[in-house]
């Protein structure tokens, strides 16, 4: 699901010693007091003399994970998107961090960070530019599943020296998922609702998307994935009619800043070509917060709750 959105967010951010091991030496095990090292998702070995105290995050997911792991005084800057309630789950917490950056060297380098957290969708050239400027950069893998989100939480927790807190965040995700599962696990496969996500670009969030995993955890069928459509495939009207979903999930966040979201929903609801679709007939075009279902942080669990509650309100 997140591929198209990450590409858009990436454009927003950008425009305004190697090893194959992922082993970590915990703080205090190297010759320097409190020093440790670990390999990032690209295999690059990151060496830290101590727990980082001036951390910069370069993605909204990194912002959200970081805020759950360390105190605000250890954060030099978050992305400017942390202040945007349409895509951020930490608007209130982010007020404690005055530094906000965009995805370019001119924005990052002056913050004088001792660690930069960066997702792997940034160009390698940008990563190299920051390293050549003397900055320590840790690149983490963008998750495709909820399990991989938990792995990201643990990886970032290791690099900031807060493994125990990372385990607590992952455990809390598991607890919330279990609570949701307990409400929907009895629903027979034949009774599961078919759901489609319809983005401003007409994206489907099909096979291989985080939305597919969200749907699985929520006890619903991702219609696009079931039809064999990929996560970045654009959905035609003919395909939407053929899938015939029970529910169409609509975005809330207007990343363009120019879209009339009510008109967007009305145009779908009133499209003559879609009047045979069950979701249209039942007026089941449901807006769900983008900050949840486009999340690749611990807040992705909220998207599972959102979808399950929309599909099966009688159990919530």
């Amino acid at each position: 699901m997140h591929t198209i959105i990450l590409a858009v967010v990436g454009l927003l951010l950008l425009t305004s010693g190697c090893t194959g091991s992922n082993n970590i030496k915990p703080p205090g095990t190297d010759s320097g007091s409190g020093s440790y090292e670990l390999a990032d998702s690209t295999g690059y070995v990151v060496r830290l003399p101590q727990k980082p105290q001036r951390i910069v995050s370069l993605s909204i997911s990194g912002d959200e994970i970081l805020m759950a792991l360390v105190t605000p005084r250890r954060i030099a800057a978050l992305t400017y998107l942390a202040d945007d309630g349409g895509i951020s789950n930490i608007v209130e917490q982010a007020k404690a961090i005055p530094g906000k950056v965009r995805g370019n060297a001119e924005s990052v380098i002056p913050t004088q960070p001792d660690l930069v957290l960066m997702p792997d969708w940034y160009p390698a050239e940008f990563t190299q530019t920051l390293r050549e400027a003397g900055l320590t950069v840790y690149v983490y893998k963008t998750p495709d599943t909820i399990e991989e989100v938990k792995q990201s939480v643990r990886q970032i927790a290791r690099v900031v020296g807060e493994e125990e807190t990372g385990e607590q965040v992952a455990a809390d995700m598991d607890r919330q998922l279990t609570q949701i599962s307990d409400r929907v696990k009895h629903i027979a496969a034949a009774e599961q609702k078919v759901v489609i996500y319809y983005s401003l670009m007409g994206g489907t969030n099909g096979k291989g998307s985080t939305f597919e995993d969200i749907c699985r955890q929520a006890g619903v069928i991702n219609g696009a994935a079931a039809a064999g459509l990929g996560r970045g495939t654009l959905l035609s009207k003919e395909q939407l009619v053929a899938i015939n979903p029970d529910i169409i999930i609509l975005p809330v966040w207007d990343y363009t800043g120019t879209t009339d979201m009510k008109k967007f929903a009305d145009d779908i609801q009133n499209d003559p070509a879609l009047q045979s679709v069950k979701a249209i007939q039942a007026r089941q075009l449901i807006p769900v917060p983008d900050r949840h279902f486009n999340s690749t942080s611990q807040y992705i669990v909220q998207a599972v709750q959102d979808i399950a509650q929309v599909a099966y309100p009688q159990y919530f």
Side-chain angles (χ1 to χ4, degrees):
M1 155 197 76
H2 59 279
T3 301
I4 293 176
I5 292 295
L6 286 180
V8 171
V9 172
L11 286 173
L12 288 171
L13 286 165
L14 287 168
T15 57
S16 320
C18 297
T19 176
S21 170
N22 282 312
N23 293 331
I24 178 172
K25 295 181 180 180
T29 59
D30 285 355
S31 57
S33 176
S35 64
Y36 57 109
E37 64 181 41
L38 68 160
D40 69 10
S41 66
T42 70
Y44 187 93
V45 175
V46 175
R47 295 180 175 85
L48 292 159
Q50 61 182 3
K51 288 184 181 183
Q53 301 298 312
R54 289 192 55 79
I55 308 167
V56 168
S57 165
L58 291 182
S59 77
I60 184 62
S61 62
D63 295 346
E64 292 174 348
I65 293 171
L66 188 61
M67 286 296 297
L69 297 175
V70 303
T71 60
R73 64 180 177 79
R74 292 180 59 192
I75 302 173
L78 303 172
T79 71
Y80 73 99
L81 292 171
D83 294 330
D84 186 337
I87 197 66
S88 170
N89 292 286
I90 56 168
V91 170
E92 288 304 312
Q93 300 96 307
K95 291 178 181 178
I97 313 298
K100 301 291 170 20
V101 296
R102 295 177 182 265
N104 56 63
E106 293 78 9
S107 179
V108 175
I109 293 173
T111 66
Q112 299 181 309
D114 55 4
L115 175 67
V116 178
L117 294 172
M118 177 186 294
D120 59 2
W121 44 262
Y122 272 99
E125 294 79 8
F126 179 45
T127 309
Q128 187 60 29
T129 296
L130 295 182
R131 286 177 174 151
E132 289 176 353
L135 303 185
T136 300
V137 181
Y138 180 87
V139 179
Y140 59 91
K141 179 184 180 299
T142 302
D144 291 319
T145 65
I146 293 175
E147 186 60 37
E148 288 184 359
V149 171
K150 288 186 280 187
Q151 292 173 13
S152 287
V153 169
R154 292 184 175 107
Q155 289 166 1
I156 292 174
R158 291 188 187 105
V159 77
V160 301
E162 301 297 340
E163 291 184 74
E164 183 176 344
T165 304
E167 290 299 329
Q168 291 172 356
V169 173
D172 191 53
M173 291 176 65
D174 283 333
R175 178 187 57 78
Q176 294 176 70
L177 289 169
T178 298
Q179 291 176 345
I180 298 166
S181 176
D182 287 344
R183 293 174 181 263
V184 301
K185 64 184 179 183
H186 66 281
I187 299 170
E191 297 176 351
Q192 289 185 331
K193 296 294 182 70
V194 176
V195 176
I196 281 286
Y197 170 70
Y198 201 92
S199 74
L200 293 179
M201 293 175 286
T204 61
N205 291 326
K207 292 180 70 65
S209 67
T210 51
F211 187 69
E212 182 182 20
D213 198 36
I214 288 168
C215 288
R216 182 182 63 82
Q217 300 271 2
V220 302
I221 297 169
N222 180 349
L229 302 178
R231 61 185 179 184
T233 307
L234 297 182
L235 185 68
S236 69
K237 292 181 182 180
E238 293 77 12
Q239 288 169 325
L240 182 56
V241 171
I243 294 168
N244 197 20
D246 299 290
I247 299 167
I248 297 175
I249 300 297
L250 299 179
V252 175
W253 183 51
D254 174 21
Y255 64 86
T256 70
T258 60
T259 304
D260 183 333
M261 302 300 283
K262 184 180 185 304
K263 183 177 184 301
F264 173 72
D266 288 345
D267 286 348
I268 299 172
Q269 177 65 56
N270 299 321
D271 192 322
L274 302 179
Q275 295 309 302
S276 65
V277 175
K278 287 186 286 187
I280 299 294
Q281 293 178 347
R283 303 190 73 85
Q284 287 295 291
L285 275 66
I286 311 296
V288 173
D290 299 65
R291 65 181 181 274
H292 293 166
F293 68 80
N294 281 321
S295 172
T296 50
S297 76
Q298 66 274 20
Y299 292 97
I300 194 172
V301 176
Q302 297 301 315
V304 179
Q305 171 85 18
D306 292 341
I307 300 300
Q309 193 162 354
V310 163
Y312 313 111
Q314 65 272 33
Y315 300 124
F316 290 87

